[in-house]
Amino acid sequence: MNNRSLIVANWKANPATAKEAVALARSIERGISKYRNIEVVIAPPLLFLEAVGKVIKKLKLGAQDIFWDEGPYTGEVSWRELKEAGVKYVIVGHSERKIHLGETDEMINKKTRAALEGGLTCVLCVGEQERVGNEISEILGEQLKHALDGVKKAYLKNLTVAYEPIWAISTTPGARANTPDNMFRAIVYIKKILTTLYGRRAADSVRVIYGGSVSADNIGPFLREGKAEGALVGRASLDPKEFIKLVGEASKTAR
Ligand code: PGA
């Protein structure tokens, strides 16, 4: 098991200018550099990757998407180009891409493979649309199996699974954060599926993190009681004060 929590800041299509992106990255870098026991990734808009990459040291650079090939694919970006820009992590299969851009399980599988085979750490998002009581949705298992189809065991150490129930993402109308208890049961389920696919040891090497309305106030319980191995953070990652506090809280739960 990876022993440092991973916090990934997903800035989505924010902020609007390179200047603001660089300023945000600088403040976060300053605020989190004293925390040694935690890995923090920022995923700015594609256009600002290089400018942000130049001003970070402790922070790692992430991309919000990847394409599975290089060549005649207008508007897309390949793993080689991302690596050239200093990217180490890539978010794959975010629900907003499924909802707004029609990303399918097959596309997510190709992207997952491209990221891992290209030597990037893949933050693969899975999550159900609706909450049905306290049930852990079997859709998570289906999504995982599709995404990992053809992925060799040797790549699992570079895989992080982000459990992001869509109903908990702050931009979903009526969103509310998940409970740590529900997160814990989702981890157990995800690890069980991974164990069935790859065996116990490989499954243990995969980090499972939580995303959906994570804040400085609830990160502690998600890591402690929910046993999440980190978080994927949207809205709170755009407010440097809140995000630095969140990372500080996470670092208290050093494993
Ligand atoms: P949120 O977003 O933290 O604003 O809920 C999380 C995400 O969409 O990755």
Side-chain angles (χ1 to χ4, degrees):
M1 194 188 288
N2 234 310
N3 54 13
R4 289 199 305 166
S5 288
L6 173 71
I7 307 289
V8 183
N10 177 12
W11 290 358
K12 310 188 179 180
N14 300 291
T17 65
K19 203 170 157 197
E20 290 167 281
V22 165
L24 180 56
R26 277 211 168 102
S27 332
I28 295 175
E29 173 81 33
R30 261 198 309 274
I32 61 106
S33 57
K34 60 177 178 282
Y35 302 116
R36 310 235 161 264
N37 55 356
I38 200 147
E39 212 170 325
V40 187
V41 175
I42 48 176
L46 186 60
L47 203 54
F48 305 148
L49 280 173
E50 294 215 73
V52 165
K54 285 194 185 122
V55 301
I56 58 175
K57 246 181 154 162
K58 184 169 162 58
L59 287 167
K60 307 259 173 57
L61 204 54
Q64 298 173 18
D65 188 33
I66 185 174
F67 193 65
W68 55 80
D69 207 345
E70 46 196 335
Y73 304 102
T74 304
E76 296 297 338
V77 66
S78 71
W79 63 267
R80 220 187 288 273
E81 291 158 345
L82 292 176
K83 279 181 107 170
E84 171 75 17
V87 166
K88 301 268 187 280
Y89 292 74
V90 61
I91 300 169
V92 169
H94 192 281
S95 58
E96 283 156 9
R97 299 196 57 81
K98 296 189 205 170
I99 295 166
H100 303 299
L101 294 143
E103 201 161 280
T104 63
D105 285 342
E106 195 193 339
M107 290 158 84
I108 292 167
N109 171 246
K110 289 181 178 169
K111 291 181 177 197
T112 303
R113 293 178 62 167
L116 292 170
E117 289 165 18
L120 295 161
T121 293
C122 176
V123 180
L124 170 67
C125 302
V126 296
E128 72 283 3
Q129 179 94 39
E130 312 243 332
R131 180 176 196 167
V132 186
N134 270 334
E135 291 300 302
I136 296 302
S137 168
E138 289 188 0
I139 289 171
L140 297 185
E142 296 304 312
Q143 291 175 345
L144 260 184
K145 285 182 200 158
H146 275 297
L148 296 176
D149 191 23
V151 170
K152 297 206 179 77
K153 198 186 205 168
Y155 291 119
L156 277 231
K157 58 180 189 322
N158 289 333
L159 177 73
T160 290
V161 175
Y163 171 49
E164 284 221 317
I166 297 170
W167 49 265
I169 294 180
S170 70
T171 44
T172 305
R176 66 233 180 269
N178 201 348
T179 60
D181 175 57
N182 198 45
M183 174 64 212
F184 177 65
R185 290 183 308 109
I187 291 205
V188 171
Y189 178 73
I190 289 167
K191 294 261 174 174
K192 195 175 109 198
I193 301 283
L194 291 170
T195 303
T196 316
L197 296 174
Y198 295 99
R200 180 72 194 270
R201 245 176 96 184
D204 275 350
S205 72
V206 177
R207 227 176 336 206
V208 184
I209 66 176
Y210 169 69
S213 301
V214 176
S215 66
D217 289 339
N218 65 20
I219 182 83
F222 276 118
L223 301 183
R224 279 191 305 272
E225 289 123 53
K227 304 284 178 227
E229 294 164 289
L232 181 54
V233 186
R235 178 147 51 199
S237 71
L238 293 167
D239 173 348
K241 253 181 146 170
E242 169 80 8
F243 188 66
I244 292 162
K245 195 167 157 216
L246 185 158
V247 172
E249 289 299 319
S251 110
K252 290 185 194 157
T253 318
R255 287 172 300 121

